[in-house]
Amino acid sequence: MTFALLKEGKTPPDHRAVLSPTSMTNAQERFPKARFIVESSSVRVFPDVAYEKAEFEVLQDVSAADVMLGVKEVRIEDLIPNKKYFFFSHTIKKQPYNRALLKAVLDKNIELYDHEVITNKRGLRLIGFGRYAGLVGAYNGFRAYGLKHKLYDLPPASTLTDVDALHGQLAKIELPALKIALTGTGKVATGAAEILNTMGIKKVSVTEYLTKIFKQAVYVQLGIKDYTRKKDGSAASNAEFFKDPSGYESNFMRFAEVTQLFIAGHFYGDGAPYLFTREDAKAENFKIEVVADISCDVDGPVASTLRASTIADPFYGYDAKTETEVAMDAEGAITVMAVDNLPCELPKDASEGFGEMFIEHVMPAFFDKDKDGILQRARMTQNGKLTKRFSYLQDYVDGKE
């Protein structure tokens, strides 16, 4: 079976790769029946010559491969019929801008496997760039805080070489006695917490955070039961929330009243309550000054996130009174960081980490008859049709919704 590493064709260019030269070498050693080829790319963080030195063939045309490995959406004109493709399709939430892509996948009889739905039997995601989104998002949050208050000036993460360089820059700054709230308990939040812990910021309990005054910077990490509550006053359940969050309401404002920096790393599902609304942000006791919205659900649970920002221009301001975008350092504004492709700022580390997960969790399924159902669960299309698990997308494909 031949696997092709695709060049990324989206604009702006994405420098990441599913497999680094080292990861590809490891995969070749572990799966000797596999063959790997590389589509030539001038934007990939690992140059063509690095794969050639690792003794992999670099080609302009990889159409002979059986399985195509990409990161972001493949351009419709680049899709090769009757192949297996892995990439983030951004269609499972019925994103309007990718309807044509999913339709083309079906029309070309392509088997699409979305990285986002590669899960274990319990439904937990096995691979992704979440940790790196959390690392860079938290770094950017501190960068925004320093710029807003003119305390220090951190360089953009995209100008740094790796995660160690992020930590090195943050080690140079001094923080005032601020309170930092981090939402989420998954890979994104874990990455953000890694930044906070490496900086030596003290983690405190919810009760301490809400009731005590500290002389140094502290943070609290909030799960679903902390920032939401049942509308009927009964006991909350994470499993119930993920299945049907309609019976829950926000309990976040108690944190907004004492927080200066909010790092949003939570998962937001359909029907889940907003953390804070535009009306909430107008309250006199609303104290959040900087929002690092790693989750970046536009016009969603974090009211100040009016739009996604970019790596080149990551910050903007939100005027709660007028509900409009203003300069990031405008008086009284909430400074917002809402970059939606944060791992792109550390393409080398992010790619290497992703490749390790792909080899560990996905590659074996091609050679053990998919005994754990990895491919079956992630397969969105087959024989020109949506698979049963993704049949809910049919009206979306047909343009009916």
Side-chain angles (χ1 to χ4, degrees), residues 119-150:
T119 62
N120 63 16
K121 292 177 181 178
R122 295 168 53 206
L124 298 176
R125 288 182 62 181
L126 293 173
I127 65 172
F129 292 100
R131 173 179 174 243
Y132 297 93
L135 289 164
V136 178
Y139 176 89
N140 282 353
F142 287 109
R143 183 174 173 232
Y145 188 88
L147 291 172
K148 179 182 182 70
H149 294 290
K150 297 178 174 58

mmCIF file of all heavy atoms in Angstrom, residues 119-150:
data_model
loop_
_atom_site.group_PDB
_atom_site.id
_atom_site.type_symbol
_atom_site.label_atom_id
_atom_site.label_comp_id
_atom_site.label_asym_id
_atom_site.label_seq_id
_atom_site.Cartn_x
_atom_site.Cartn_y
_atom_site.Cartn_z
ATOM 1 N N THR A 119 -11.272 8.426 16.275
ATOM 2 C CA THR A 119 -11.556 8.281 17.705
ATOM 3 C C THR A 119 -11.369 6.845 18.174
ATOM 4 O O THR A 119 -11.306 5.906 17.364
ATOM 5 C CB THR A 119 -13.006 8.695 18.004
ATOM 6 O OG1 THR A 119 -13.899 7.811 17.282
ATOM 7 C CG2 THR A 119 -13.276 10.127 17.576
ATOM 8 N N ASN A 120 -11.322 6.690 19.483
ATOM 9 C CA ASN A 120 -11.336 5.338 20.041
ATOM 10 C C ASN A 120 -12.784 4.887 20.226
ATOM 11 O O ASN A 120 -13.725 5.605 19.853
ATOM 12 C CB ASN A 120 -10.547 5.291 21.357
ATOM 13 C CG ASN A 120 -11.148 6.173 22.451
ATOM 14 O OD1 ASN A 120 -12.303 6.610 22.370
ATOM 15 N ND2 ASN A 120 -10.373 6.438 23.479
ATOM 16 N N LYS A 121 -12.974 3.726 20.824
ATOM 17 C CA LYS A 121 -14.313 3.174 20.964
ATOM 18 C C LYS A 121 -15.204 4.024 21.862
ATOM 19 O O LYS A 121 -16.433 3.970 21.770
ATOM 20 C CB LYS A 121 -14.229 1.741 21.497
ATOM 21 C CG LYS A 121 -13.607 0.767 20.508
ATOM 22 C CD LYS A 121 -13.474 -0.634 21.107
ATOM 23 C CE LYS A 121 -12.813 -1.583 20.105
ATOM 24 N NZ LYS A 121 -12.631 -2.944 20.680
ATOM 25 N N ARG A 122 -14.591 4.810 22.728
ATOM 26 C CA ARG A 122 -15.358 5.680 23.642
ATOM 27 C C ARG A 122 -15.696 7.019 23.002
ATOM 28 O O ARG A 122 -16.339 7.868 23.619
ATOM 29 C CB ARG A 122 -14.572 5.894 24.934
ATOM 30 C CG ARG A 122 -14.368 4.631 25.750
ATOM 31 C CD ARG A 122 -13.356 4.853 26.857
ATOM 32 N NE ARG A 122 -13.708 6.013 27.687
ATOM 33 C CZ ARG A 122 -12.828 6.737 28.374
ATOM 34 N NH1 ARG A 122 -11.529 6.450 28.296
ATOM 35 N NH2 ARG A 122 -13.214 7.737 29.109
ATOM 36 N N GLY A 123 -15.213 7.214 21.767
ATOM 37 C CA GLY A 123 -15.509 8.455 21.079
ATOM 38 C C GLY A 123 -14.517 9.568 21.319
ATOM 39 O O GLY A 123 -14.725 10.702 20.877
ATOM 40 N N LEU A 124 -13.417 9.284 22.012
ATOM 41 C CA LEU A 124 -12.410 10.305 22.290
ATOM 42 C C LEU A 124 -11.434 10.420 21.124
ATOM 43 O O LEU A 124 -10.979 9.410 20.572
ATOM 44 C CB LEU A 124 -11.638 9.951 23.567
ATOM 45 C CG LEU A 124 -12.473 9.870 24.848
ATOM 46 C CD1 LEU A 124 -11.603 9.426 26.018
ATOM 47 C CD2 LEU A 124 -13.129 11.218 25.148
ATOM 48 N N ARG A 125 -11.121 11.655 20.747
ATOM 49 C CA ARG A 125 -10.220 11.885 19.625
ATOM 50 C C ARG A 125 -8.831 11.350 19.924
ATOM 51 O O ARG A 125 -8.320 11.475 21.036
ATOM 52 C CB ARG A 125 -10.138 13.382 19.299
ATOM 53 C CG ARG A 125 -11.401 13.928 18.658
ATOM 54 C CD ARG A 125 -11.249 15.389 18.316
ATOM 55 N NE ARG A 125 -10.166 15.607 17.341
ATOM 56 C CZ ARG A 125 -9.815 16.804 16.890
ATOM 57 N NH1 ARG A 125 -10.436 17.883 17.322
ATOM 58 N NH2 ARG A 125 -8.853 16.920 15.998
ATOM 59 N N LEU A 126 -8.205 10.765 18.906
ATOM 60 C CA LEU A 126 -6.899 10.153 19.071
ATOM 61 C C LEU A 126 -5.757 11.002 18.525
ATOM 62 O O LEU A 126 -4.621 10.871 18.978
ATOM 63 C CB LEU A 126 -6.885 8.781 18.386
ATOM 64 C CG LEU A 126 -7.794 7.722 19.026
ATOM 65 C CD1 LEU A 126 -7.826 6.461 18.167
ATOM 66 C CD2 LEU A 126 -7.313 7.389 20.439
ATOM 67 N N ILE A 127 -6.038 11.826 17.526
ATOM 68 C CA ILE A 127 -4.968 12.639 16.951
ATOM 69 C C ILE A 127 -5.469 14.071 16.754
ATOM 70 O O ILE A 127 -6.670 14.332 16.717
ATOM 71 C CB ILE A 127 -4.454 12.084 15.609
ATOM 72 C CG1 ILE A 127 -5.538 12.147 14.534
ATOM 73 C CG2 ILE A 127 -3.944 10.664 15.766
ATOM 74 C CD1 ILE A 127 -5.014 11.788 13.151
ATOM 75 N N GLY A 128 -4.539 14.989 16.638
ATOM 76 C CA GLY A 128 -4.910 16.375 16.411
ATOM 77 C C GLY A 128 -3.770 17.304 16.792
ATOM 78 O O GLY A 128 -2.713 16.874 17.274
ATOM 79 N N PHE A 129 -4.004 18.574 16.585
ATOM 80 C CA PHE A 129 -2.999 19.594 16.892
ATOM 81 C C PHE A 129 -3.373 20.366 18.157
ATOM 82 O O PHE A 129 -2.865 21.453 18.404
ATOM 83 C CB PHE A 129 -2.873 20.568 15.719
ATOM 84 C CG PHE A 129 -2.271 19.963 14.478
ATOM 85 C CD1 PHE A 129 -3.073 19.553 13.426
ATOM 86 C CD2 PHE A 129 -0.901 19.808 14.358
ATOM 87 C CE1 PHE A 129 -2.527 19.010 12.275
ATOM 88 C CE2 PHE A 129 -0.338 19.257 13.212
ATOM 89 C CZ PHE A 129 -1.147 18.859 12.171
ATOM 90 N N GLY A 130 -4.294 19.805 18.961
ATOM 91 C CA GLY A 130 -4.841 20.531 20.100
ATOM 92 C C GLY A 130 -3.803 21.049 21.075
ATOM 93 O O GLY A 130 -3.874 22.187 21.531
ATOM 94 N N ARG A 131 -2.838 20.206 21.417
ATOM 95 C CA ARG A 131 -1.820 20.633 22.384
ATOM 96 C C ARG A 131 -1.098 21.887 21.894
ATOM 97 O O ARG A 131 -0.841 22.822 22.671
ATOM 98 C CB ARG A 131 -0.813 19.507 22.616
ATOM 99 C CG ARG A 131 0.376 19.941 23.476
ATOM 100 C CD ARG A 131 1.361 18.831 23.735
ATOM 101 N NE ARG A 131 2.542 19.332 24.433
ATOM 102 C CZ ARG A 131 3.773 19.319 23.944
ATOM 103 N NH1 ARG A 131 4.004 18.821 22.735
ATOM 104 N NH2 ARG A 131 4.788 19.803 24.644
ATOM 105 N N TYR A 132 -0.791 21.914 20.604
ATOM 106 C CA TYR A 132 -0.028 23.047 20.072
ATOM 107 C C TYR A 132 -0.896 24.297 19.960
ATOM 108 O O TYR A 132 -0.406 25.417 20.137
ATOM 109 C CB TYR A 132 0.600 22.649 18.733
ATOM 110 C CG TYR A 132 1.586 21.528 18.934
ATOM 111 C CD1 TYR A 132 1.202 20.201 18.795
ATOM 112 C CD2 TYR A 132 2.891 21.794 19.344
ATOM 113 C CE1 TYR A 132 2.089 19.161 19.045
ATOM 114 C CE2 TYR A 132 3.784 20.762 19.588
ATOM 115 C CZ TYR A 132 3.374 19.446 19.444
ATOM 116 O OH TYR A 132 4.265 18.439 19.727
ATOM 117 N N ALA A 133 -2.192 24.110 19.704
ATOM 118 C CA ALA A 133 -3.105 25.249 19.743
ATOM 119 C C ALA A 133 -3.125 25.838 21.148
ATOM 120 O O ALA A 133 -3.105 27.062 21.328
ATOM 121 C CB ALA A 133 -4.508 24.815 19.329
ATOM 122 N N GLY A 134 -3.150 24.975 22.164
ATOM 123 C CA GLY A 134 -3.154 25.440 23.543
ATOM 124 C C GLY A 134 -1.868 26.149 23.922
ATOM 125 O O GLY A 134 -1.882 27.199 24.582
ATOM 126 N N LEU A 135 -0.741 25.593 23.504
ATOM 127 C CA LEU A 135 0.555 26.208 23.807
ATOM 128 C C LEU A 135 0.666 27.609 23.210
ATOM 129 O O LEU A 135 0.995 28.581 23.895
ATOM 130 C CB LEU A 135 1.678 25.323 23.262
ATOM 131 C CG LEU A 135 1.948 23.997 23.977
ATOM 132 C CD1 LEU A 135 2.788 23.086 23.104
ATOM 133 C CD2 LEU A 135 2.646 24.248 25.302
ATOM 134 N N VAL A 136 0.375 27.703 21.910
ATOM 135 C CA VAL A 136 0.512 28.993 21.225
ATOM 136 C C VAL A 136 -0.577 29.966 21.684
ATOM 137 O O VAL A 136 -0.324 31.162 21.850
ATOM 138 C CB VAL A 136 0.459 28.816 19.697
ATOM 139 C CG1 VAL A 136 0.563 30.159 18.998
ATOM 140 C CG2 VAL A 136 1.594 27.903 19.237
ATOM 141 N N GLY A 137 -1.798 29.450 21.907
ATOM 142 C CA GLY A 137 -2.887 30.322 22.340
ATOM 143 C C GLY A 137 -2.613 30.977 23.670
ATOM 144 O O GLY A 137 -2.861 32.178 23.857
ATOM 145 N N ALA A 138 -2.094 30.198 24.628
ATOM 146 C CA ALA A 138 -1.758 30.766 25.931
ATOM 147 C C ALA A 138 -0.619 31.782 25.803
ATOM 148 O O ALA A 138 -0.653 32.860 26.412
ATOM 149 C CB ALA A 138 -1.376 29.652 26.902
ATOM 150 N N TYR A 139 0.391 31.428 25.007
ATOM 151 C CA TYR A 139 1.502 32.369 24.763
ATOM 152 C C TYR A 139 0.968 33.680 24.198
ATOM 153 O O TYR A 139 1.335 34.775 24.661
ATOM 154 C CB TYR A 139 2.505 31.736 23.798
ATOM 155 C CG TYR A 139 3.654 32.653 23.404
ATOM 156 C CD1 TYR A 139 4.819 32.691 24.154
ATOM 157 C CD2 TYR A 139 3.573 33.464 22.278
ATOM 158 C CE1 TYR A 139 5.881 33.525 23.797
ATOM 159 C CE2 TYR A 139 4.613 34.303 21.914
ATOM 160 C CZ TYR A 139 5.770 34.327 22.676
ATOM 161 O OH TYR A 139 6.793 35.168 22.320
ATOM 162 N N ASN A 140 0.090 33.568 23.207
ATOM 163 C CA ASN A 140 -0.480 34.773 22.600
ATOM 164 C C ASN A 140 -1.315 35.578 23.594
ATOM 165 O O ASN A 140 -1.405 36.801 23.503
ATOM 166 C CB ASN A 140 -1.340 34.407 21.391
ATOM 167 C CG ASN A 140 -0.521 34.087 20.155
ATOM 168 O OD1 ASN A 140 0.693 34.261 20.153
ATOM 169 N ND2 ASN A 140 -1.177 33.615 19.112
ATOM 170 N N GLY A 141 -1.954 34.871 24.539
ATOM 171 C CA GLY A 141 -2.716 35.575 25.570
ATOM 172 C C GLY A 141 -1.814 36.452 26.412
ATOM 173 O O GLY A 141 -2.147 37.613 26.703
ATOM 174 N N PHE A 142 -0.663 35.920 26.804
ATOM 175 C CA PHE A 142 0.287 36.728 27.576
ATOM 176 C C PHE A 142 0.900 37.835 26.721
ATOM 177 O O PHE A 142 1.172 38.942 27.219
ATOM 178 C CB PHE A 142 1.371 35.835 28.173
ATOM 179 C CG PHE A 142 0.880 35.006 29.317
ATOM 180 C CD1 PHE A 142 0.724 33.635 29.183
ATOM 181 C CD2 PHE A 142 0.544 35.602 30.524
ATOM 182 C CE1 PHE A 142 0.245 32.874 30.231
ATOM 183 C CE2 PHE A 142 0.066 34.848 31.586
ATOM 184 C CZ PHE A 142 -0.089 33.480 31.443
ATOM 185 N N ARG A 143 1.104 37.544 25.459
ATOM 186 C CA ARG A 143 1.613 38.589 24.558
ATOM 187 C C ARG A 143 0.621 39.745 24.474
ATOM 188 O O ARG A 143 0.997 40.920 24.552
ATOM 189 C CB ARG A 143 1.878 37.992 23.174
ATOM 190 C CG ARG A 143 2.482 38.977 22.194
ATOM 191 C CD ARG A 143 2.882 38.322 20.875
ATOM 192 N NE ARG A 143 3.299 39.353 19.941
ATOM 193 C CZ ARG A 143 2.826 39.504 18.713
ATOM 194 N NH1 ARG A 143 1.920 38.655 18.238
ATOM 195 N NH2 ARG A 143 3.240 40.481 17.940
ATOM 196 N N ALA A 144 -0.664 39.409 24.336
ATOM 197 C CA ALA A 144 -1.702 40.439 24.264
ATOM 198 C C ALA A 144 -1.773 41.241 25.558
ATOM 199 O O ALA A 144 -1.917 42.474 25.534
ATOM 200 C CB ALA A 144 -3.059 39.788 23.971
ATOM 201 N N TYR A 145 -1.652 40.553 26.690
ATOM 202 C CA TYR A 145 -1.726 41.241 27.984
ATOM 203 C C TYR A 145 -0.581 42.244 28.125
ATOM 204 O O TYR A 145 -0.775 43.377 28.586
ATOM 205 C CB TYR A 145 -1.689 40.224 29.124
ATOM 206 C CG TYR A 145 -1.964 40.831 30.479
ATOM 207 C CD1 TYR A 145 -3.269 40.953 30.950
ATOM 208 C CD2 TYR A 145 -0.927 41.292 31.289
ATOM 209 C CE1 TYR A 145 -3.528 41.532 32.196
ATOM 210 C CE2 TYR A 145 -1.168 41.866 32.532
ATOM 211 C CZ TYR A 145 -2.474 41.980 32.980
ATOM 212 O OH TYR A 145 -2.727 42.558 34.210
ATOM 213 N N GLY A 146 0.608 41.828 27.708
ATOM 214 C CA GLY A 146 1.753 42.725 27.797
ATOM 215 C C GLY A 146 1.623 43.939 26.902
ATOM 216 O O GLY A 146 1.955 45.066 27.303
ATOM 217 N N LEU A 147 1.130 43.738 25.684
ATOM 218 C CA LEU A 147 0.946 44.856 24.760
ATOM 219 C C LEU A 147 -0.151 45.807 25.255
ATOM 220 O O LEU A 147 0.001 47.034 25.173
ATOM 221 C CB LEU A 147 0.586 44.329 23.367
ATOM 222 C CG LEU A 147 1.700 43.583 22.623
ATOM 223 C CD1 LEU A 147 1.157 42.938 21.350
ATOM 224 C CD2 LEU A 147 2.850 44.544 22.270
ATOM 225 N N LYS A 148 -1.233 45.243 25.759
ATOM 226 C CA LYS A 148 -2.352 46.064 26.224
ATOM 227 C C LYS A 148 -1.920 47.008 27.352
ATOM 228 O O LYS A 148 -2.266 48.191 27.358
ATOM 229 C CB LYS A 148 -3.490 45.163 26.705
ATOM 230 C CG LYS A 148 -4.722 45.918 27.243
ATOM 231 C CD LYS A 148 -5.761 44.946 27.742
ATOM 232 C CE LYS A 148 -7.003 45.659 28.240
ATOM 233 N NZ LYS A 148 -7.775 46.285 27.145
ATOM 234 N N HIS A 149 -1.156 46.458 28.288
ATOM 235 C CA HIS A 149 -0.764 47.235 29.463
ATOM 236 C C HIS A 149 0.645 47.822 29.351
ATOM 237 O O HIS A 149 1.140 48.420 30.315
ATOM 238 C CB HIS A 149 -0.874 46.367 30.718
ATOM 239 C CG HIS A 149 -2.272 45.966 31.052
ATOM 240 N ND1 HIS A 149 -3.220 46.856 31.518
ATOM 241 C CD2 HIS A 149 -2.908 44.776 30.955
ATOM 242 C CE1 HIS A 149 -4.365 46.230 31.740
ATOM 243 N NE2 HIS A 149 -4.209 44.971 31.394
ATOM 244 N N LYS A 150 1.262 47.629 28.169
ATOM 245 C CA LYS A 150 2.608 48.163 27.917
ATOM 246 C C LYS A 150 3.605 47.714 28.998
ATOM 247 O O LYS A 150 4.432 48.498 29.485
ATOM 248 C CB LYS A 150 2.561 49.692 27.810
ATOM 249 C CG LYS A 150 1.710 50.170 26.634
ATOM 250 C CD LYS A 150 1.626 51.689 26.564
ATOM 251 C CE LYS A 150 0.907 52.147 25.298
ATOM 252 N NZ LYS A 150 -0.477 51.605 25.187
#
